[in-house]
Amino acid sequence: MKHRIVVLGAGYAGAVTAGRLAKRLHRDDVEITLVNADPDFVERVRLHQLASGQDLPRRPLREVFAGTGVRVRAARVTAVDVDRKTVELVDEQGAGTLAHDPLAHDPLVHDSLAYDTLVYALGSTVADNGVPGVAEHAYDVAGKQSALRLRARLAEVAPGGTVLVVGGGLTAIEAAAEIAEAHPELRVAIAARGGVGDWLSDKARRHLRGAFDRLGITVHERADITRVGADGVVVGAAGEIPAQVTVWTAGFTAHPLAAATTLEVSDTGRIVVDDTMRSVSHPDVYAVGDAAFAQGAGDKPLRMGCATANPMAWLAADALAARLTGRKVPRTTIGYAAQCVSLGRRDAIVQRVTSDDRPTSTVLTGRTAARVKEFICASTAWGLHHPTMLVPSRRRHLASGRGSEAVTASAS
């Protein structure tokens, strides 16, 4: 019987893990199923572009993984039972007989999927941080549908209207800059509880301020937002920042499904993993991307973000493949190299950082940095469209005395 590997989530971490496993393991031995609510791969790092009005190319997952042996299942995960080793799904794409039965009362298809090894990569969603009114009145760019919702709203705002982006991190900065560049008829402001981009080096911060000035972005720092309304936000006890549109980018939180299981999770709901991305409580579960709580360089927890998604995916796939084929398990420490911040389509900051994510004095800015940032984003998407190029072209049989490796002709 084939070893059943189920990968939940096809963001950067989940998709790369599935593709890498498909190249590491022989398809006669394993069955890899990739489950994702959206039938397309969503470039999350470009959702601020989508929200501002730009069109992004479609990347159907079934085309991405065609010929790899990875089975793509378009369905929403509703529950995970790590003790029974099953995943509950709702198929919202109309697959199965129930969806096509005109007499059926339920238009959705409910299913249970069993696994031998689970890779949990369901990622993160917006954290409202307990602020009232976020869910009712704010927009976000955490997913494709929410980005499209914001896109539609921006198209409705009359010239001179104000768009307020809440947050001071990478997502907030990129969203504010992209909206300001794409919609010069609107006033754009950014508000943060602390400083905006205050983790950057002095040179990078100076460039950021210059870019904001060029784009006409108003900056509100040390703004403790206590409520979001239909016409703006409340700051502190009595202050207000009026806005026709509020975009909430003040942090992310892990998908809640993991915390509802018996998996050991952090206080933020992320699955606690060892240095091979394997759950410390359930050895048949791996977690990658924003869903995983892992230690990086300097014994610091890896932050949520695309910078760590691919390295975590590589490490998890290689460790799992090694265990299944009886080889030495690779062990490495994930560290950082740079932080890239786009400031519209023609400007950016590439901040060199230490392996434990502290800024250095080395910074690229302007068009050169924008080209570097675009190359990184495009390379990631290209790699997902060419999963045969993700790893060296060797597949190994499981550790069952079946003999030598199976070698394919594709390159690494």
Side-chain angles (χ1 to χ4, degrees):
M1 183 177 178
K2 292 184 178 182
H3 187 92
R4 299 163 299 179
I5 301 174
V6 174
V7 182
L8 302 182
Y12 292 101
V16 170
T17 301
R20 197 169 178 95
L21 285 170
K23 294 304 296 176
R24 292 298 196 206
L25 299 169
H26 201 285
R27 65 181 65 179
D28 289 346
D29 296 322
V30 297
E31 179 182 274
I32 303 171
T33 302
L34 178 61
V35 180
N36 198 58
D38 197 299
D40 297 336
F41 172 73
V42 177
E43 291 187 82
R44 193 171 184 181
V45 296
R46 294 190 187 274
L47 288 180
H48 56 288
Q49 296 176 235
L50 182 65
S52 71
Q54 299 171 51
D55 293 325
L56 304 180
R58 279 196 65 214
R59 305 185 189 279
L61 288 167
R62 287 193 171 91
E63 292 183 12
V64 170
F65 289 97
T68 66
V70 175
R71 175 194 176 205
V72 175
R73 178 76 182 273
R76 179 167 51 89
V77 182
T78 59
V80 177
D81 190 327
V82 293
D83 300 313
R84 294 177 54 214
K85 301 176 73 168
T86 59
V87 177
E88 300 301 318
L89 306 175
V90 172
D91 190 335
E92 298 180 287
Q93 305 304 319
T97 57
L98 181 59
H100 301 289
D101 183 356
L103 299 179
H105 297 291
D106 190 343
L108 305 178
V109 176
H110 299 262
D111 194 12
S112 181
L113 189 62
Y115 65 83
D116 297 303
T117 299
L118 179 71
V119 180
Y120 188 103
L122 289 179
S124 60
T125 187
V126 173
D128 63 15
N129 299 321
V131 176
V134 172
E136 295 84 359
H137 302 294
Y139 295 78
D140 66 76
V141 290
K144 184 173 76 173
Q145 294 307 316
S146 57
L148 289 172
R149 178 172 168 262
L150 172 58
R151 175 185 179 129
R153 179 68 184 105
L154 291 174
E156 298 172 345
V157 182
T162 298
V163 179
L164 174 66
V165 179
V166 179
L170 293 171
T171 304
I173 292 169
E174 293 191 330
E178 204 74 48
I179 293 170
E181 183 177 87
H183 293 276
E185 77 282 5
L186 301 179
R187 299 174 181 173
V188 178
I190 186 170
R193 176 173 293 179
V196 176
D198 56 3
W199 73 93
L200 296 168
S201 65
D202 291 341
K203 178 182 177 181
R205 285 200 300 271
R206 287 195 298 271
H207 187 81
L208 176 62
R209 296 300 181 188
F212 278 178
D213 289 343
R214 172 177 57 82
L215 293 167
I217 298 172
T218 302
V219 179
H220 302 274
E221 295 186 315
R222 312 292 182 261
D224 185 13
I225 294 174
T226 57
R227 181 178 294 275
V228 177
D231 53 0
V233 301
V234 176
V235 181
E240 293 183 355
I241 302 176
Q244 280 68 53
V245 182
T246 298
V247 184
W248 191 265
T249 61
F252 296 91
T253 187
H255 195 289
L257 279 181
T261 70
T262 56
L263 287 163
E264 182 175 336
V265 299
S266 69
D267 56 0
T268 57
R270 301 165 75 187
I271 299 171
V272 181
V273 296
D274 63 15
D275 58 356
T276 66
M277 302 299 113
R278 185 164 67 168
S279 164
V280 298
S281 62
H282 292 71
D284 49 10
V285 176
Y286 290 72
V288 290
D290 290 355
F293 185 82
Q295 299 297 322
D299 290 327
K300 294 172 60 176
L302 296 172
R303 58 179 167 82
M304 292 181 177
C306 61
T308 52
N310 281 10
M312 293 169 87
W314 298 332
L315 185 54
D318 290 353
L320 174 55
R323 288 186 172 111
L324 291 178
T325 56
R327 291 178 290 133
K328 182 179 179 180
V329 176
R331 296 182 183 276
T332 187
T333 299
I334 296 174
Y336 295 90
Q339 291 190 15
C340 304
V341 192
S342 64
L343 301 170
R345 294 297 86 209
R346 296 176 296 277
D347 193 5
I349 296 169
V350 177
Q351 170 73 68
R352 183 76 176 178
V353 298
T354 61
S355 60
D356 61 349
D357 211 23
R358 290 177 290 113
T360 71
S361 59
T362 303
V363 181
L364 287 178
T365 58
R367 288 183 178 270
T368 299
R371 287 193 290 268
V372 171
K373 171 75 186 293
E374 176 57 29
F375 174 78
I376 293 171
C377 293
S379 297
T380 302
W382 182 88
L384 288 166
H385 251 303
H386 299 79
T388 57
M389 309 293 280
L390 289 172
V391 295
S393 55
R394 289 184 181 271
R395 287 195 178 103
R396 293 178 181 261
H397 284 296
L398 300 194
S400 59
R402 292 192 59 179
S404 62
E405 301 169 355
V407 181
T408 64
S410 58
S412 62

